[in-house]
Amino acid sequence: MAILTHALAEWQAVGVRLTRSRLGLWLAMLATSGALLAARHPQVEPAGPAARLGLLAGLIAVAFAGGATPDRSALRATLLHPVTSPALIAGRALALTAVAAAAVVGGTAVLGVLAPVSPAALVTGALGGAAAAAAAVGAGLAATWVGGGTCGALLLGYVALVSGMPPEVWSAVVAVEPVRSLGRLALVVLPGLWRYRSLATGDPGAWAHAAAWAWGGAALAGWRLERARR
C-alpha cells in the first residue's frame, strides 16, 4: 500500500513532465509512427511492434522524468522527508511504467484501426508491450542512476539498433573480438526486442526476464539513491 501511495505521489511529478515537456509529444510520435509502419507489413502481427514501442517508450520516459540530473536531484531532496529510498524509486518506476504502458495501448489501438488485426492479438500484444515497458523502465533507472546519462543513452541506442537481433545471429554476423562476445552478452542480459517479441505468446522465459529487470533495475536504482543520501 505504501508503494502505491508513493506511486500516486510520483505520478504528479511525471504528469507535469508529460504535459509540460516534450515527453508526451515523443510518446505520441512513437506510438503513431510505430502503428503506421506495422500496418504496412503484409502480415500484421502486433507482438513485435508493441514490444518495440514498450522498450522505447519506457526508456524515453526515464530520460524525461526519472534519470535526468534534475530528477535525480529532486528525488534526493525528497528523501529529506520520512520515506525510504526503495519505496520512492518504486513509486517513480510504477508511474513511469504507467505512462509508457499507456503509449503502448494507444499504439496498438491505432494499429487496430489501420489494419485487420484480431482483438485477441491486440490485447496480448498490448500486455507484452506493457511488460517490455516495465523492463525498460527498470533497466533505464538502473543505467542512469548507476552510470549516468551516458549509460542511459547507450542503452537507448542498443535497444533501438541492436536488440532485435538474436544472440546466435549476432555471433554469426560479427566475427571481431571482443565485440562479438560483448554484444552477445548484452543481448542475453539486457532487455531486448528479440526476446520480448514472445511476451505476447506468454513465453515464461521472456516474462521472467522482463520481471527481473522491472524489479531488479528499480532495486538497483533504489540502492544507488540510498547511498547518495548518506
Side-chain angles (χ1 to χ4, degrees):
M1 184 61 69
I3 291 179
L4 292 178
T5 302
H6 290 304
L8 291 175
E10 292 301 314
W11 168 255
Q12 299 179 14
V14 174
V16 171
R17 295 296 179 87
L18 188 64
T19 57
R20 298 186 182 180
S21 72
R22 293 186 177 89
L23 175 58
L25 177 62
W26 272 105
L27 293 179
M29 290 174 58
L30 273 177
T32 304
S33 60
L36 290 172
L37 290 174
R40 296 178 60 183
H41 197 275
Q43 295 180 342
V44 181
E45 176 55 54
R52 181 185 295 106
L53 175 57
L55 286 168
L56 294 176
L59 292 177
I60 288 176
V62 169
F64 274 88
T69 301
D71 291 293
R72 296 200 297 271
S73 300
L75 286 170
R76 291 190 187 100
T78 305
L79 288 174
L80 296 175
H81 302 281
V83 58
T84 65
S85 301
L88 187 62
I89 288 294
R92 179 61 62 97
L94 286 174
L96 293 173
T97 299
V99 169
V104 172
V105 172
T108 53
V110 173
L111 180 59
V113 173
L114 297 176
V117 184
S118 68
L122 289 174
V123 171
T124 56
L127 289 174
V137 167
L141 287 173
T144 53
W145 274 87
V146 175
T150 301
C151 285
L154 290 174
L155 180 61
L156 179 60
Y158 154 79
V159 166
L161 301 176
V162 181
S163 71
M165 186 181 299
E168 57 272 15
V169 176
W170 173 270
S171 297
V173 172
V174 179
V176 179
E177 293 289 358
V179 177
R180 180 182 183 183
S181 298
L182 290 175
R184 184 179 179 87
L185 179 64
L187 287 166
V188 171
V189 174
L190 296 177
L193 177 60
W194 73 271
R195 188 194 303 272
Y196 289 171
R197 286 192 185 100
S198 58
L199 286 169
T201 61
D203 179 65
W207 277 93
H209 192 275
W213 268 112
W215 292 105
L220 186 58
W223 166 80
R224 185 64 183 85
L225 180 58
E226 180 65 25
R227 288 196 62 186
R229 74 186 298 186
R230 294 175 183 175

